[in-house]
Amino acid sequence: MDTTWIEISKKSIQHNVKTIRSLINKNTLLAPCVKSNAYGHGMREMAKLLIPHKVNMLCVASIEEALVLRESGISIPLLIMGFVPHARLGDILDSRASIFVCEPQTARTLSRLALAARTTVNVHIKVDTGMGRQGLMPRQLNAFIKFIQSLKGLRWEGIATHFASADEPEHPQHFYDQLKIFTHLVKGIKKDRQGFPLIHCANSAATFLEPQSHFDMVRPGLAVYGYYPNDATKKTCLAQGMPLHPSLALKTKIAAVKKIPKDACVSYGCTFITKHHTRIAVLPVGYYDGIDRALSNRGHVLIRGHRAPILGRVCMNITVVDVTRLPHITQKDEAVIIGTQGREEITIEEMARHIGTINYEVTTRLRENIRHIYL
Ligand SMILES: Cc1ncc(COP(=O)(O)O)c(C=O)c1O
C-alpha cells in the first residue's frame, strides 16, 4: 500500500479533450503533448486514455519517450519535438516517429539512415519566428525546404513554429508578431494531395485565444490536463462557459500525529517555533516528491476538509503540518496536498504562487514514480 499517490480523473481529461475538440475545425488535427511524463500525469496511461478521443498524433520531447510509447503498444503517429542527439538518430527509424528538423546535418544523417533501411522518415521543419530557441531563422526557410525536398528517404510531413508568450499575457503583441511571421512564411507552401506538409503552431493558449493559429493541427499540452496557461485563457474559457477541469490530485496518508509543547522547534533550521501547545501531523512527503521547499511555513494541505498550515521547513521526505484546530484527526486520515476535499481546494496555481513559479513546473516536478491511480 503506497503512502502517497496521485489520482488522475479520466472524466476530467475526457472533458478537457472534448472542450479543445469543440474549439477546432472538424478537419484540424489534434496532437496533445504527452511529453515530460504527460506533464506529471503519467505518459503511457495518458497516451492510452487520449487515443480513443479523436487524437491524431501525440507530441513527445525525446526519442526515449517515443520508444517507451512504442514499447507500450502505442501505434499512432508520434512527433518528437525536442533535441535528438546525433548518435540516437538511428532510433528514429525504430520508433517510426516524426521529428522536428532545423539543421542540415540532422536531415542528411536521417536521409542516409532511411535509405540504408529502405524506409522513409517523416520530418517537420521547425522555424524560429521569435522564440529564440530551436528552429531555423525565417530567411533560411526557402533554401532549407529545397534542401529537404532534395534528400531521398525524407518525407516533408510538416512545418511548425512555437510561441514564446503562452504564459506571459502581458506581451500579447509578441504572440501576434510571431503568428504574422509564420502566416506569411507558410502562405506560399504547396501541399501534396494528402494535405502535407501539415502547418502547425498552436499550443494551449493559442488554441483557445486565436483560431487563426490553428492551421492544420494544434499541439496543446497544459489544457489537456485541465490547467490554464494564463489568465487570458482562463477568462476566455469561463466567458464561453467552457471551464477546464483539473485532473490531478496528490494525496498522502498521515504518518504520525503528536503533541509538542510551547517554544518547540519544528523541522530543520528551527524556522518555526511553537507559540503554544501544538498538535502536529507528520506527512511522509517532501521535496523529493515534488513538494517544493519554498512551501516551508507557507503552504497548506487539506485534512478532513480543513486547511492545515505547513510548519517549518519541508524536508526531503517529510512535511509537518499544524492540526491543533483539528482535534479528531488520526493516523488513519488522508492529507490532500493538491486537489479538493470537502469545500476546500488547493490548486496547482496556489502552489505555484507560493513557490514563485508556473503551474507547468508544479506538475512536472512531481516524482515520476509516485503511484498514479486513474479513476
Ligand atoms: C513545441 C511545443 N509545442 C507545444 C507545447 C505545448 O504547450 P502548452 O503546454 O502551453 O499547451 C510545448 C510545450 O512546452 C512545446 O514545447
Side-chain angles (χ1 to χ4, degrees), residues 31-33 35-36 39 59-61 79 81-82 100 126 131 133-134 160-163 166-167 200-207 218-225 227-229 360:
C33 293
K35 66 186 180 127
S36 309
Y39 292 42
C59 299
V60 295
L79 173 60
M81 304 192 298
F100 274 172
K126 180 81 183 285
M131 176 73 178
R133 199 175 71 170
Q134 188 193 28
T161 196
H162 186 48
F163 294 112
D167 51 356
H200 55 103
C201 58
N203 52 9
S204 298
T207 303
V218 296
R219 310 186 306 261
L222 195 71
V224 172
Y225 308 105
Y227 318 104
Y228 304 102
Y360 292 76

Side-chain angles (χ1 to χ4, degrees), residues 41-175:
H41 295 67
M43 185 178 66
R44 288 187 199 93
E45 294 76 6
M46 282 308 309
K48 286 179 187 162
L49 196 60
L50 289 168
I51 289 167
H53 296 281
K54 295 194 207 151
V55 159
N56 306 90
M57 191 181 272
L58 292 172
C59 299
V60 295
S62 63
I63 180 63
E64 287 83 2
E65 290 179 346
L67 291 171
V68 165
L69 290 181
R70 290 298 185 231
E71 280 154 21
S72 311
I74 283 152
S75 58
I76 75 162
L78 300 177
L79 173 60
I80 302 176
M81 304 192 298
F83 175 70
V84 178
H86 224 74
R88 300 293 309 269
L89 288 176
D91 294 336
I92 297 290
L93 276 63
D94 294 334
S95 73
R96 304 179 317 284
S98 306
I99 177 175
F100 274 172
V101 290
C102 50
E103 43 90 29
Q105 171 99 28
T106 304
R108 248 187 240 115
T109 307
L110 284 172
S111 160
R112 183 173 47 73
L113 292 165
L115 281 177
R118 294 168 191 248
T119 184
T120 49
V121 173
N122 294 324
V123 296
H124 291 228
I125 296 176
K126 180 81 183 285
V127 196
D128 182 356
T129 54
M131 176 73 178
R133 199 175 71 170
Q134 188 193 28
L136 48 90
M137 300 312 284
R139 64 185 147 70
Q140 300 172 303
L141 181 62
N142 285 342
F144 196 72
I145 289 173
K146 282 194 190 114
F147 173 67
I148 290 291
Q149 288 176 320
S150 74
L151 290 174
K152 295 208 166 64
L154 298 189
R155 175 166 170 264
W156 185 25
E157 189 183 49
I159 177 160
T161 196
H162 186 48
F163 294 112
S165 41
D167 51 356
E168 306 283 343
E170 315 83 63
H171 307 299
Q173 192 51 47
H174 189 68
F175 166 76

Side-chain angles (χ1 to χ4, degrees), residues 194-209:
Q194 284 101 37
F196 294 103
L198 299 170
I199 298 166
H200 55 103
C201 58
N203 52 9
S204 298
T207 303
F208 279 92
L209 300 175

